[in-house]
Amino acid sequence: MLKVLIPTIMLVPTVWLTPAKLLWPATLAHSLTIAVTSFSWLSNPCDTGWSLMNQSMALDPLSTPLLVLTCWLLPLMILASQHHMIHEPINRQRTFITILTTLQVFLILAFSATELIFFYIMFEATLVPTLILITRWGNQAERLNAGTYFLFYTLAGSLPLLIALLLLQNTTGTLSLFILHYTTTLPMISIADKLWWAGCLVAFLVKMPLYGMHLWLPKAHVEAPIAGSMILAAILLKLGGYGMMRVMTLLEPLTPQLSYPFIILALWGVIMTGSICLRQTDLKSLIAYSSVSHMGLVAGGILIQTPWGFSGALILMIAHGLTSSALFCLANTNYERTHTRTMVLARGLQMALPLMAAWWFIASLANLALPPLPNLMGELMIITSVFNWSWATIALTGAGTLITAGYSLYMFLMTQRGPLPNHIIALDPSHTREHLLLALHLLPLLLLMGKPELIWGWTA
Amino acid sequence: MCLTSLMMSSSLVAILVLLSLPIISTLSPETKHPSWALIQAKTAVKLAFFVSLLPLFLFLSEGAETILTNWNWTNTLTFDINISLKYDFYSIVFTPVALYVSWSILEFASWYMSSDPYMNRFFKYLLIFLMAMIILVTANNLFQFFIGWEGVGIMSFLLIGWWYARADANTAALQAVLYNRVGDIGLIFAMAWISMNLNSWEMQQIFVTAKDLDLTYPLLGLVVAATGKSAQFGLHPWLPSAMEGPTPVSALLHSSTMVVAGIFLLIRMSPLINDYPVIHSTCLCLGALTTLFTATCALTQNDIKKIIAFSTSSQLGLMMVCIGLNQPQLAFLHICTHAFFKAMLFLCAGSIIHSLNDEQDIRKMGGMNSLTPFTSSCFTVGSLALTGTPFLAGFYSKDAIIEALNISHLNAWALILTLLATSFTAVYSLRLVYFVAMGNPRIQPLPPINENSPSVTSPIKRLAYGSIISGLLITSNITLPKTQVMTMPTHLKLAALAVTIAGLLVALELANLTSKQFRPAPKIATHHFSNMLGFFPTIIHRLPPKMNLSLGQYIASQMLDQTWMEKIGPKATYTLNLPLITTTSNAQQGLLKATLASFILTLALALLVVFLK
């Protein structure tokens, strides 16, 4: 564990001590080395349970894929931000990378925490660098409002979690994930118990976000700089899913009845946010709403609490993390050239940037879950597991897949196909950096097809 | 492993390798020479065809079938997904047919697309499509089948939208994917049901374990899937729209291979459907409705490709009827023979379209018989085979289907519809030949007519041989697993032929009437119905999308997201706190009296508390 954590922390001195000329290459190389080191976690020596333990951190099949994704994303964020940061003064560039690094440190600690309170603190700590990222480095004035929404939605959700966790600590005497499974679970008798149940989950449902508590997400995504959008879509939303899976297993007895409304809401949200995507004119907002839609499926899969549901949710989280991050990068390549997020102003780009169109195509296909991409495996498993609960859900999930296909291809056709408008004929050619960035997003996705057990979670 | 099955499985692997080699060679960054298409891609398909003959002969001589399960892909608890390939009757016979047709089409495409700057990419797409199709055909488990199923769907998206700067092409491409997705919901439903109840996606295991369960719903899901992919009534409009793609694409995907995937799924699953009369009637009625409806639409179209597309849809309906009759083998036979003549019809149409300077309207053709004698005679042969003229390819399958239909006791309504559609086949085929090949030319002066290139003639020729003899070849070499009824009264036996001839005669009469002013004011309501495709797209392509898009805009986005959720969430926090905030802050605006008063009040209270304690 520490062999990744300490180098990540040491990335901060690297950022500040490297000569200005080498800042970006050095940090990129450093973070990529960390990411590659983290791959070794994937070969989990013990079949079940925990590995690589120290006093407060450990790995298990659930957290490993998310941790590796976290480590993998830092170099990608650095790669993606390079172009729009290059005009800033050098110290601001250094600050920017420092913030990204800090976020990474908090995320590693959050995913590898073995104590729920430790997890909670790290979960909250990630808010700070993210908030700075959105409100300091965003482009429009609306970023301040977006920051407020982001902070308050998340905080309002997670403060009850603190109380719930303290109560749990009081009752069971421990919050360690190793032992907690062996303690007796809280009885679900009074209304207060049920509120406790809700308190345990609401923080994560807001973070996911569940439909109805998602307003912060499109705003934050749209206003954040590219690195912010990437990390939000790829990792921060997954913190919610991860936390839910961790807590869900502690809430066993009465949760089926309590979670039904949430499942329905999540699946209903898939359709509603999907339909919103169909009418989006703003590219980043479309991708953001599509994230809400996909995370709705994840929420459904987790709340259903079957092994298939959990595996499907984890697979979809990883696959969606890579896919939506790739889509944000693609949207950003458009933005850096045309300086607009409005889709009608930047269309027909296949004519100008043919290789980018290929990346767009693969990313759109991943978004609409083409078999055998991991996205499909995840969606199929989730659809199957909620279907196992109730037949009627196929109407919601089925309509969801239809709408997803609709807006993914709408996005592709709108941005890439059709004639190139006259006002954007003089575009920068695409950079090798951008191709590398997208390859690093999509190749892992393609490679995961070969060995999906890596992200299968507990049931592998 | 015995020698036979070793040979079969290695030739299957060889086919896949042969097809993937040219695709892999395009991964290198250097631009391929324009001859890549012909030299590498076409040759690969040709070689693959010859390799695929080996298992076919082995099957014919020894009846050998084989299943390869080689790699445990992944598993969840006890649920395994393997890579397993099935090389049985259906895949052994269909693979050579598909490869033969593709070989011809690729050769033709090298002529048809020769002016396209991205011809190599076009060939690459076709090859990837072919790979997906072979994966679909040889899949032995549903997951793998699903990969092929979606793979062909996405390749059809790319190929329909080949001329991507055209809005029509993009719309048609999107339409194809969306209609197919509706079908996919059925497939996903069936897969979910099967995995939950039978705990396996392997076909044999499904067949064995499904004995005691009621499979009506998952089978209906499969029927929906087939409806989407095979353009059955309700989900059919994408197929004629798909004619926006280049003609070789129409020939390969939208006539001979991809669109039969739905029927193929039902054929694969036929052991399950066996015991469910409900499913049979559903398929029968659906197929009959499709075949009649689309044949009706074909009657009055003027676009040469649209007519052929509608006839494809009509034939797919006939295959569906066959599934409904519980004769999946006959449906399969029709898939095979249909592939030859329909691909040839499209290639001929492509050749004519190019010869007439990209003119697709049959009213502006005519007299092609003397201008392009070879193409138009093959065109006529194809049309005749399509109508089921005795001893051409279509006869062997189509006639058998209608005989089976005649003697079945399932549904007289479906029988009548199908017979009507059969006579309509003759009508639109004759109309096509009449307008294109016969009569006087109505073409532009100076058309670039040229059908001398061997890359036009030899593929059409090869397919023409296929259209003539494939029916005889296939039926005389294989024994259908299910026995046919061989004896029947003469009038039943001749029914198919009789309605076809009646259709031909009526059509000839009608065709003669077209040049005369028969009625001063013709009644054209029926014409409108047929010409406007039964008003189906007008309704379905406007109403549901409008509803859905309005839901997205007005309800989901404006009403809920931007109004209600804002109002009861963030804005409510703001409005609820505002009175409190204003009250307390108003008290502290530097008004000395108020400040001192509250100070004294607080002090008094505090003292009171202290002293009274």
Side-chain angles (χ1 to χ4, degrees), chain A residues 149 214 289 417-418 449 456, chain B residues 73 75-76 161 164 549 561 566:
Chain A
Y149 269 57
H214 67 278
Y289 269 110
R417 297 298 177 91
M449 288 186 319
W456 227 233
Chain B
W73 190 346
N75 58 336
T76 313
Y164 56 79
L549 293 177
D561 263 39
E566 285 275 355

Side-chain angles (χ1 to χ4, degrees), chain A residues 250-270:
Chain A
L250 311 175
L251 305 171
E252 207 74 69
L254 202 82
T255 37
Q257 282 73 29
L258 279 173
S259 55
Y260 288 162
F262 288 102
I263 299 174
I264 297 295
L265 191 60
L267 296 181
W268 178 240
V270 173

Side-chain angles (χ1 to χ4, degrees), chain A residues 149 153 211 214 219 272 276 279 289 368 370-371 381 384 387-388 391 398 401 409 417-419 449-450 456, chain B residues 71 73 75-76 150 154 158 161 164-165 170 174 177 181 185 189 193 195-196 201 217 549 556 560-561 566 570:
Chain A
Y149 269 57
Y153 261 94
Y211 180 70
H214 67 278
K219 288 192 203 303
M272 290 307 261
I276 293 177
R279 291 300 288 260
Y289 269 110
L368 67 81
L370 186 85
M381 286 174 96
T384 308
F387 173 77
N388 190 36
W391 277 48
T401 55
L409 290 175
R417 297 298 177 91
M449 288 186 319
W456 227 233
Chain B
W71 181 38
W73 190 346
N75 58 336
T76 313
E150 289 287 295
I154 284 304
L158 279 177
Y164 56 79
N170 290 331
L174 187 62
V177 172
R181 265 278 153 151
I185 297 174
F189 169 78
W193 195 95
S195 64
M196 279 300 136
W201 278 336
Y217 292 106
L549 293 177
L560 287 174
D561 263 39
E566 285 275 355

Side-chain angles (χ1 to χ4, degrees), chain B residues 10-33:
Chain B
S10 35
S11 45
L12 176 59
V13 173
I15 291 170
L16 290 174
V17 169
L18 274 174
L19 290 179
S20 54
L21 276 181
I23 303 176
I24 293 169
S25 78
T26 59
L27 286 178
S28 87
E30 68 192 70
T31 319
K32 290 276 171 277
H33 192 263

Side-chain angles (χ1 to χ4, degrees), chain A residues 29-233:
Chain A
H30 188 149
S31 57
L32 203 57
T33 318
I34 296 172
V36 173
T37 316
S38 76
F39 287 166
S40 65
W41 290 340
L42 286 171
S43 71
N44 194 353
C46 47
D47 260 350
T48 51
W50 302 85
S51 58
L52 294 174
M53 285 193 278
N54 64 24
Q55 288 204 322
S56 51
M57 296 157 79
L59 286 177
D60 80 337
L62 177 63
S63 56
T64 310
L66 288 162
L67 272 166
V68 175
L69 184 64
T70 311
C71 296
W72 183 244
L73 219 73
L74 181 60
L76 299 190
M77 287 192 294
I78 292 175
L79 211 51
S81 309
Q82 216 164 340
H83 187 258
H84 73 87
M85 292 300 293
I86 210 73
H87 304 295
E88 301 273 340
I90 184 70
N91 279 346
R92 290 202 195 147
Q93 295 182 23
R94 292 188 203 272
T95 321
F96 181 78
I97 303 179
T98 312
I99 290 170
L100 296 185
T101 315
T102 325
L103 189 52
Q104 160 112 327
V105 172
F106 289 146
L107 281 169
I108 292 178
L109 288 171
F111 281 126
S112 59
T114 56
E115 226 339 80
L116 276 177
I117 278 292
F118 185 31
F119 168 72
Y120 176 80
I121 292 168
M122 288 306 142
F123 179 80
E124 295 290 298
T126 56
L127 289 182
V128 181
T130 319
L131 187 70
I132 297 174
L133 210 53
I134 296 172
T135 51
R136 167 61 187 83
W137 299 97
N139 289 315
Q140 279 79 19
E142 288 83 21
R143 67 181 189 275
L144 300 172
N145 193 24
T148 320
Y149 269 57
F150 169 69
L151 193 67
F152 279 92
Y153 261 94
T154 326
L155 277 184
S158 59
L159 286 178
L161 177 64
L162 179 63
I163 311 294
L165 289 183
L166 293 178
L167 183 73
L168 188 66
Q169 161 82 29
N170 255 358
T171 329
T172 58
T174 178
L175 281 179
S176 165
L177 289 171
F178 302 130
I179 324 174
L180 215 48
H181 290 282
Y182 304 105
T183 57
T184 48
T185 46
L186 291 191
M188 286 280 176
I189 303 158
S190 61
I191 293 178
D193 292 332
K194 286 169 189 161
L195 282 178
W196 173 77
W197 181 92
C200 281
L201 286 183
V202 166
F204 304 124
L205 287 173
V206 172
K207 195 82 179 182
M208 288 272 281
L210 185 71
Y211 180 70
M213 309 168 195
H214 67 278
L215 286 192
W216 63 272
L217 184 129
K219 288 192 203 303
H221 269 303
V222 170
E223 298 306 329
I226 172 63
S229 304
M230 283 167 73
I231 191 110
L232 266 170

